[in-house]
Amino acid sequence: MTEHTVTSYEDELKFIVRRISEMGGQAERMVEQAVAALMRSDWDLAQSVVADDVLLDAAQRDLDERAIRTIAKRQPMAVDLREIVGAIRISNDLERIGDLAKNIAKRVIAVHDHSQPVQLVRGIEHLSELALVQLKEVLDAYGEHDHLRAMAVRDNDEQIDAMYTSIFRELLTYMMEDPRNITACTHLLFSAKNIERIGDHATNIAETIYYIQTGEQMEAERPKGDTTPSLVQQGSNLPPAGPEG
Amino acid sequence: MTEHTVTSYEDELKFIVRRISEMGGQAERMVEQAVAALMRSDWDLAQSVVADDVLLDAAQRDLDERAIRTIAKRQPMAVDLREIVGAIRISNDLERIGDLAKNIAKRVIAVHDHSQPVQLVRGIEHLSELALVQLKEVLDAYGEHDHLRAMAVRDNDEQIDAMYTSIFRELLTYMMEDPRNITACTHLLFSAKNIERIGDHATNIAETIYYIQTGEQMEAERPKGDTTPSLVQQGSNLPPAGPEG
């Protein structure tokens, strides 16, 4: 990446926003490649994802320092300040999406050499597609300063949660049917959880976009499909139990 | 909590630092109570942890806004600016520790009514003790502006990773021995993972303290006990496979 000579506050802000877009593209690619590596048991691809995570971490640190320098030098107020603080938060979420992709990549070796039930692997692939759509949508909403689009991303997170819950139950059933599936399914379980959390980070980014644009926090209590019920239905006894947070 | 009339930059900073300490205490308590609830299958305690998380989330948002207002109003430079940006990052880590405690609490209902192997439950309790020591240490290091103590916290994270790896393997073995253990063990597996991640957040806080004090980032590449080997030892076939990220 070529260094940019920063001349005005406007330029610095544009530079930061562009960097976020680049980091977002990198995070998306890492998620795609990590899931592809898991599907195909592709060690080389998995290792390249692990290597890319180092770059994304460095990009986040660089963006942080640049944003802080800009705050110190330009002393922005109101929406300008929120834009920069928002960039710091979003780069944090993107870095963590990269970590989650790396975690999935690291499981490739662990899952290899174990039989993987095709429909479950498909399920995880489909879950990752949903998460990637969310990520793409929220990055577009960021680029377009569109907080309504960001709100829609948050609302869609329920779909990911619901599909994760269904995959969780299937994986447990599969483990119970044959103990030889346990090791592979455990790793698929954590991979599914990592993907579900990528969706949560897309939601966080959506909330940050809303905050940047409006100066308000989205109300905290989003209805969550997979969580509240289990603490309410104390008497119920669903086999197997839901996945939880 | 009574509102504090802020009169000077020094006062605002003190107020923010005190708030971080309060949030830290709250996060510690939530982790303790979540693990206690898991050990004793205590639904009421689990529900109070879930309720506390709403308060910690609100405290984080409040601290964020206060910190941003301070930056905008006081335009601090160098270490003062890092102190405030650091507080934003630390409150983010504390909020996430609260989320992880909440996740553990939510599993209490799922694990209940399933037989739990005593030695594994003890293992998780011990893992949480290690994580709580890390959290307490890093909060003390923050209060005392002691970046050397913070570095020690980061170095100790390896112990948590190693113990988590051992618990992971034991849980898998136990699941293989008897499929009726699978549901409970899966939830214990995720609980152990949540605790291991609490350790990671203590490490993040340690790195932020170092950054506040020195203006430098700790080098990114901490040797991690549980991760690199599995991508290197491609030919090995350890049963059961390591836990990964």
Side-chain angles (χ1 to χ4, degrees):
Chain A
M1 199 173 298
T2 57
E3 192 58 19
H4 177 102
T5 308
V6 169
T7 53
S8 71
Y9 173 72
E10 198 62 23
D11 284 345
E12 285 179 26
L13 197 56
K14 270 190 201 151
F15 187 85
I16 286 171
V17 169
R18 200 163 65 239
R19 271 285 173 91
I20 292 281
S21 294
E22 288 167 3
M23 287 178 67
Q26 198 177 340
E28 273 185 82
R29 210 164 40 247
M30 285 174 69
V31 174
E32 274 165 8
Q33 292 181 343
V35 173
L38 190 69
M39 299 300 114
R40 308 198 302 251
S41 295
D42 185 335
W43 289 338
D44 291 337
L45 190 57
Q47 280 182 317
S48 92
V49 172
V50 173
D52 283 347
D53 188 52
V54 177
L55 301 177
L56 191 57
D57 287 356
Q60 191 224 345
R61 280 196 302 278
D62 184 66
L63 188 130
D64 258 30
E65 296 208 10
R66 188 177 291 269
I68 293 163
R69 275 206 307 275
T70 301
I71 294 174
K73 196 164 66 178
R74 306 286 180 178
Q75 298 157 350
M77 304 284 278
V79 66
D80 289 338
L81 181 61
R82 291 200 306 272
E83 188 84 59
I84 295 186
V85 172
I88 292 174
R89 286 190 200 161
I90 292 172
S91 84
N92 183 42
D93 280 303
L94 293 173
E95 185 267 329
R96 287 173 55 207
I97 289 171
D99 278 348
L100 292 163
K102 180 187 69 176
N103 290 350
I104 294 167
K106 283 191 188 156
R107 289 188 190 277
V108 171
I109 182 74
V111 173
H112 194 73
D113 288 339
H114 292 272
S115 68
Q116 293 184 49
V118 173
Q119 80 275 20
L120 288 175
V121 167
R122 283 267 172 286
I124 286 175
E125 199 168 20
H126 190 42
L127 186 70
S128 74
E129 282 159 7
L130 282 187
L132 280 165
V133 167
Q134 291 283 89
L135 186 53
K136 196 184 169 324
E137 271 295 299
V138 84
L139 291 169
D140 286 351
Y142 177 73
E144 295 166 14
H145 297 81
D146 186 343
H147 69 277
L148 296 176
R149 197 163 170 184
M151 283 175 79
V153 168
R154 190 178 72 163
D155 294 341
N156 284 338
D157 189 49
E158 275 180 54
Q159 288 177 32
I160 294 182
D161 292 345
M163 181 178 275
Y164 166 70
T165 300
S166 143
I167 289 172
F168 179 94
R169 291 194 172 145
E170 276 185 81
L171 280 165
L172 248 58
T173 304
Y174 201 79
M175 287 156 95
M176 285 171 190
E177 277 168 16
D178 187 345
R180 284 169 300 180
N181 297 326
I182 288 175
T183 300
C185 284
T186 299
H187 289 289
L188 292 178
L189 212 54
F190 275 103
S191 298
K193 183 73 197 164
N194 285 333
I195 296 167
E196 185 263 340
R197 287 184 54 226
I198 289 168
D200 289 341
H201 287 293
T203 300
N204 288 352
I205 294 172
E207 290 175 355
T208 300
I209 293 167
Y210 187 90
Y211 166 76
I212 293 171
Q213 297 303 315
T214 67
E216 307 277 325
Q217 308 283 353
M218 273 193 204
E219 79 277 30
E221 293 309 276
R222 177 174 68 92
K224 278 210 94 180
D226 75 334
T227 51
T228 328
S230 65
L231 274 172
V232 175
Q233 305 168 351
Q234 292 192 354
S236 78
N237 199 9
L238 297 164
E244 296 314 331
Chain B
M1 198 172 295
T2 57
E3 192 57 20
H4 178 101
T5 308
V6 170
T7 53
S8 71
Y9 173 73
E10 198 62 23
D11 284 344
E12 285 179 27
L13 196 56
K14 270 190 200 150
F15 187 85
I16 286 171
V17 169
R18 199 164 63 239
R19 270 286 173 90
I20 291 282
S21 294
E22 286 167 4
M23 287 178 67
Q26 198 177 339
E28 275 185 80
R29 208 164 41 246
M30 284 175 69
V31 175
E32 274 165 8
Q33 291 180 344
V35 173
L38 189 69
M39 299 300 114
R40 306 198 303 250
S41 295
D42 186 334
W43 287 338
D44 291 338
L45 191 56
Q47 281 182 316
S48 92
V49 171
V50 173
D52 282 347
D53 188 52
V54 177
L55 301 177
L56 191 56
D57 287 356
Q60 191 224 346
R61 280 196 301 279
D62 184 68
L63 188 130
D64 258 29
E65 296 209 9
R66 189 178 290 270
I68 293 163
R69 275 205 307 276
T70 301
I71 293 174
K73 196 164 67 179
R74 306 286 179 177
Q75 298 157 349
M77 305 283 278
V79 66
D80 289 338
L81 180 61
R82 291 201 305 271
E83 187 85 60
I84 295 184
V85 172
I88 292 173
R89 287 190 198 161
I90 292 172
S91 84
N92 184 41
D93 280 304
L94 292 173
E95 186 266 329
R96 286 173 56 208
I97 289 171
D99 279 349
L100 292 163
K102 181 186 69 175
N103 291 350
I104 295 167
K106 282 189 188 160
R107 290 189 189 277
V108 170
I109 182 74
V111 174
H112 194 73
D113 287 339
H114 292 273
S115 68
Q116 292 184 52
V118 173
Q119 80 275 18
L120 288 176
V121 167
R122 282 268 172 285
I124 286 176
E125 197 168 23
H126 191 41
L127 186 69
S128 74
E129 282 160 7
L130 281 188
L132 281 164
V133 167
Q134 291 283 88
L135 185 54
K136 196 184 170 318
E137 272 295 299
V138 85
L139 290 169
D140 286 350
Y142 177 73
E144 293 165 16
H145 297 80
D146 185 343
H147 69 278
L148 296 176
R149 196 164 170 184
M151 284 176 79
V153 167
R154 191 177 70 160
D155 293 342
N156 283 338
D157 189 49
E158 276 179 54
Q159 288 176 34
I160 294 181
D161 291 346
M163 181 178 273
Y164 166 69
T165 300
S166 143
I167 288 172
F168 180 93
R169 291 192 172 147
E170 276 185 81
L171 280 165
L172 249 57
T173 304
Y174 201 79
M175 287 155 96
M176 286 170 188
E177 278 169 15
D178 187 345
R180 284 170 299 181
N181 296 327
I182 288 175
T183 300
C185 284
T186 298
H187 289 289
L188 292 178
L189 213 52
F190 275 103
S191 298
K193 183 72 197 164
N194 284 333
I195 295 167
E196 185 263 342
R197 287 183 55 225
I198 289 167
D200 289 341
H201 287 292
T203 299
N204 288 352
I205 295 172
E207 290 175 354
T208 300
I209 294 167
Y210 186 90
Y211 167 76
I212 294 171
Q213 298 303 313
T214 66
E216 307 278 325
Q217 308 282 353
M218 273 192 204
E219 79 277 33
E221 293 308 275
R222 177 172 69 92
K224 277 211 97 182
D226 74 333
T227 51
T228 328
S230 65
L231 275 173
V232 175
Q233 304 169 353
Q234 294 190 354
S236 79
N237 198 8
L238 297 165
E244 295 315 326

